[in-house]
Amino acid sequence: MPETSSPAPQAGAQHLSPTRLPEDQQLVLRVMPMPADANGNGDIFGGWIMAQVDLAGAVMPARIAKGRIATVAVNQFVFKQPVSVGDLLSFYARVERIGTTSITVHVEVYAERNPANLQVVKVTEANLTYVAIDMQGQPRKIPKD
């Protein structure tokens, strides 16, 4: 049987690739960007990624608030690596803070690339704040249970 070897790691690749997805956060969304989501260079539009982060970030606050919520702030948003068509994006979230009417969430986005020689790369992270609202769009208290 012939001997096989892995290609030499690229310079600087160490900071790009955690070897696995996080276990201390909740997976809230998984999606694969399509060609319609890309610019002329084949990179996925940042606005598309931001929209997906907003959707992913809202999952836990909606459950906690037990009802309608609205995004009130994007406190931080960092693009770390480009995203390409065919990357499998996994969105992980954790609640940072629960206030009287608002919930702040941290979202991390990982791209799984090259299934034959899997590489997992953190591509984006963000902090967002959502507020619980009533049917008239006014802030309401978050249930304590």
Side-chain angles (χ1 to χ4, degrees), residues 57-115:
V59 171
M60 295 172 80
R63 288 179 183 158
I64 293 165
K66 294 182 171 44
R68 192 172 172 197
I69 60 168
T71 309
V72 294
V74 177
N75 307 311
Q76 175 191 29
F77 208 104
V78 180
F79 294 100
K80 296 179 169 291
Q81 295 293 320
V83 174
S84 300
V85 171
D87 286 352
L88 177 60
L89 300 182
S90 298
F91 296 72
Y92 287 83
R94 72 173 176 270
V95 173
E96 295 282 308
R97 179 186 169 278
I98 300 175
T100 304
T101 62
S102 67
I103 300 170
T104 300
V105 179
H106 182 76
V107 178
E108 294 182 357
V109 185
Y110 293 84
E112 295 177 57
R113 298 177 171 157
N114 189 12

Side-chain angles (χ1 to χ4, degrees), residues 16 18 21-22 25 27-31 33 48-50 52-54 56-57 77-81 83 87-93 106-113 120-126 128:
L16 298 180
L21 298 169
Q25 298 177 53
L27 176 65
V28 291
L29 179 66
R30 190 168 273 164
V31 66
W48 182 88
I49 296 168
M50 292 177 83
Q52 303 307 306
V53 167
D54 191 21
F77 208 104
V78 180
F79 294 100
K80 296 179 169 291
Q81 295 293 320
V83 174
D87 286 352
L88 177 60
L89 300 182
S90 298
F91 296 72
Y92 287 83
H106 182 76
V107 178
E108 294 182 357
V109 185
Y110 293 84
E112 295 177 57
R113 298 177 171 157
V120 178
V121 179
K122 185 194 286 189
V123 293
T124 304
E125 64 182 304
L128 302 100

